[in-house]
Amino acid sequence: MKRFITVITVLLLTLIPGNLPASAQSQESGGQAAGQPAPKQDSIEISLLTCTPGTEIWSEFGHTALRIHNLTRGVDAVVNYGMFSSNTPYFIPKFVFGLTDYQVGVEPFNTFLAEYIYEGRGVIEQRLNISYADKVAICEAITENVKPENQVYRYNFFYDNCTTRARDIVVDNLSGNVKYPPAMQDSCSFRQMVHRCTVDYPWTQFGEDLLLGIQADWQTSKSEQQFLPDNLRKDFDKALYNGRPLVSSTRMIVTPQPLSKGKNVPLSPMDVMMILLVVTVTLELFEHKSKKIFWGIDLFYMLLTGLTGIVITAMIFSQHPTVRVNLLILILNPLPLIFGYQAIRHTIKHEKYWWWTAWEVLIVLFMVGGFFQTYPSGMIVLALVLLTRPLMHHYMLNKNKGVTPQK
């Protein structure tokens, strides 16, 4: 990979047409200064490339890259800030904990395009309506960026990704300001934007919602909304630069093909939670009738919430700000693994134990937290299921002194 980037860096250097002529600046102001040479012909085209979503987890939100085409020199290259290796040891855990390093690379346009044609993903090109001076500034910034010492950056899905990097290398090197359309005011938290992309994948959405915390439900700014490739594309389409449209033309280079959604899971997360509710309540009716506490039910839910809670608790140490404070930790935490043995032991001895009251309080606090954080589909149902267990213990031990545990 490093050798490839080194070769392509040389290729990128040929995109820069040499030193910017002094007359270019006068051309920006509306005329050529007397006695200055005529400006070089503008033969550079810079475009924003927006790629439609794919089927892999890292491609389900789409992708953004930059195309730099030097018509005179016959060089056509794509600057890609989304280069990584999924074969990196512990890639998924590193991604979740915000420890993944991405890097910028440059590849021939045809090579880039061939990959998306093969995957059946669409590519939309927006040619930028910017000056010759701006184009040279962007090319020089990219050349500096792809040097070995500058290639790698710490990836952050919401705040520093392939889309925001492509945007910044363009916007930060323009001589004027870009004015975007107003930010969306309704339904525009990070979580809601992610939901729009995963609406057809309920279990993917469920898993993402498990990790996303309360900060993912906060209102986002215009800059933050542009972490999604299609959001940036739409904003560029309506943006103004120095009083004129930022994009001079838009075209679909590759038409997306219908993507296979894989095997459909017959049950949604809500379906599973409802089944747990029905099964648990049914068993509790038998508990009441037989005057026996089925501690196996408690063991199942303690293992379920405790093991899942290890992951949720570990997110406190993630580098992603949107996962650190997660109210799911109120019911998904390692505490059941710590106190579960003693709780079941006291149940077998027909004794009360403080854990059931503590668990009850945590579950109620979790439900109150639903006013501040959007929980994954079915989690409120699961909380109701969990709440029935301490309530059943209180009822059975207080009202039926002769209760005997299940053997």
Side-chain angles (χ1 to χ4, degrees):
M1 178 64 73
K2 289 185 177 179
R3 181 181 178 184
F4 169 76
I5 294 177
T6 301
V7 172
I8 294 300
T9 300
V10 177
L11 172 65
L12 181 61
L13 288 171
T14 66
L15 292 169
I16 303 178
N19 295 327
L20 179 66
S23 57
Q25 294 297 333
S26 63
Q27 185 183 39
E28 292 296 315
S29 60
Q32 179 181 341
Q36 290 184 340
K40 294 182 179 180
Q41 182 181 3
D42 185 356
S43 62
I44 304 175
E45 294 178 351
I46 297 182
S47 305
L48 185 77
L49 301 179
T50 303
C51 310
T52 60
T55 56
E56 301 292 345
I57 187 172
W58 53 77
S59 65
E60 62 184 8
F61 299 98
H63 181 52
T64 300
L66 294 174
R67 179 186 184 185
I68 302 182
H69 191 189
N70 190 317
L71 302 175
T72 301
R73 301 190 181 186
V75 177
D76 200 355
V78 171
V79 182
N80 187 350
Y81 285 90
M83 301 187 74
F84 68 95
S85 174
S86 59
N87 294 323
T88 301
Y90 309 108
F91 176 80
I92 296 299
K94 286 182 178 179
F95 184 89
V96 170
F97 282 97
L99 301 175
T100 306
D101 288 331
Y102 276 41
Q103 60 187 27
V104 57
V106 186
E107 58 186 314
F109 176 68
N110 289 337
T111 302
F112 177 86
L113 215 58
E115 177 182 351
Y116 286 88
I117 293 174
Y118 175 78
E119 295 180 0
R121 298 170 60 186
V123 179
I124 302 172
E125 180 183 33
Q126 292 172 295
R127 188 173 300 168
L128 302 184
N129 185 24
I130 56 179
S131 70
Y132 179 75
D134 290 332
K135 294 174 184 178
V136 171
I138 292 171
C139 287
E140 290 177 341
I142 291 172
T143 303
E144 182 68 22
N145 203 179
V146 298
K147 290 181 178 179
E149 64 270 23
N150 300 327
Q151 290 169 1
V152 178
Y153 70 98
R154 180 54 54 88
Y155 179 87
N156 187 292
F157 179 68
F158 288 127
Y159 298 102
D160 194 358
N161 64 14
C162 57
T163 299
T164 61
R165 287 264 167 168
R167 174 200 64 193
D168 292 345
I169 201 71
V170 170
V171 174
D172 292 351
N173 290 284
L174 296 179
S175 56
N177 295 323
V178 175
K179 294 184 178 180
Y180 299 109
M184 295 178 286
Q185 297 300 319
D186 57 335
S187 300
C188 207
S189 66
F190 281 128
R191 192 189 306 274
Q192 289 162 329
M193 286 186 282
V194 167
H195 278 188
R196 293 170 190 161
C197 298
T198 57
V199 64
D200 295 325
Y201 304 91
W203 281 103
T204 297
Q205 190 174 101
F206 179 81
E208 291 165 347
D209 278 342
L210 278 178
L211 298 180
L212 292 175
I214 193 170
Q215 190 170 331
D217 291 301
W218 294 356
Q219 186 71 25
T220 54
S221 66
K222 167 58 68 177
S223 176
E224 290 170 336
Q225 292 165 14
Q226 292 173 347
F227 85 97
L228 282 177
D230 205 50
N231 284 357
L232 181 64
R233 179 188 66 80
K234 292 176 181 177
D235 284 346
F236 265 40
D237 189 56
K238 297 179 180 179
L240 295 177
Y241 173 56
N242 290 340
R244 60 182 186 268
L246 176 62
V247 174
S248 61
S249 64
T250 301
R251 64 173 180 140
M252 178 75 73
I253 302 177
V254 179
T255 302
Q257 304 299 314
L259 296 178
S260 173
K261 297 181 180 180
K263 296 181 179 179
N264 293 325
V265 180
L267 297 176
S268 69
M270 178 62 79
D271 294 335
V272 172
M273 299 306 178
M274 292 303 297
I275 291 173
L276 288 177
L277 175 62
V278 171
V279 171
T280 302
V281 171
T282 301
L283 291 173
E284 288 171 344
L285 290 176
F286 281 105
E287 281 183 314
H288 181 268
K289 184 177 180 179
S290 64
K291 295 185 179 182
K292 294 181 180 180
I293 296 179
F294 299 163
W295 55 265
I297 304 175
D298 300 316
L299 178 61
F300 170 76
Y301 283 116
M302 286 180 176
L303 290 175
L304 176 66
T305 58
L307 294 175
T308 308
I310 293 175
V311 178
I312 302 301
T313 303
M315 289 299 98
I316 295 174
F317 305 100
S318 173
Q319 298 300 307
H320 293 299
T322 51
V323 304
R324 291 175 188 163
V325 181
N326 189 342
L327 297 184
L328 284 170
I329 201 171
L330 292 169
I331 62 170
L332 301 179
N333 57 68
L335 294 180
L337 301 179
I338 299 173
F339 300 107
Y341 173 76
Q342 287 297 328
I344 291 176
R345 184 180 178 186
H346 281 77
T347 297
I348 293 175
K349 293 181 178 181
H350 319 157
E351 297 173 349
K352 294 182 180 180
Y353 189 55
W354 64 268
W355 165 252
W356 302 112
T357 300
W359 205 10
E360 190 174 16
V361 171
L362 289 174
I363 295 169
V364 172
L365 289 175
F366 170 80
M367 291 181 174
V368 174
F371 291 100
F372 306 96
Q373 178 177 323
T374 301
Y375 294 140
S377 174
M379 286 303 298
I380 292 294
V381 176
L382 177 61
L384 290 173
V385 174
L386 297 177
L387 186 60
T388 64
R389 296 314 299 158
L391 292 176
M392 178 59 70
H393 277 262
H394 295 327
Y395 175 78
M396 296 286 279
L397 292 176
N398 289 334
K399 300 300 181 180
N400 302 292
K401 299 300 183 180
V403 65
T404 58
Q406 182 191 32
K407 299 295 185 181

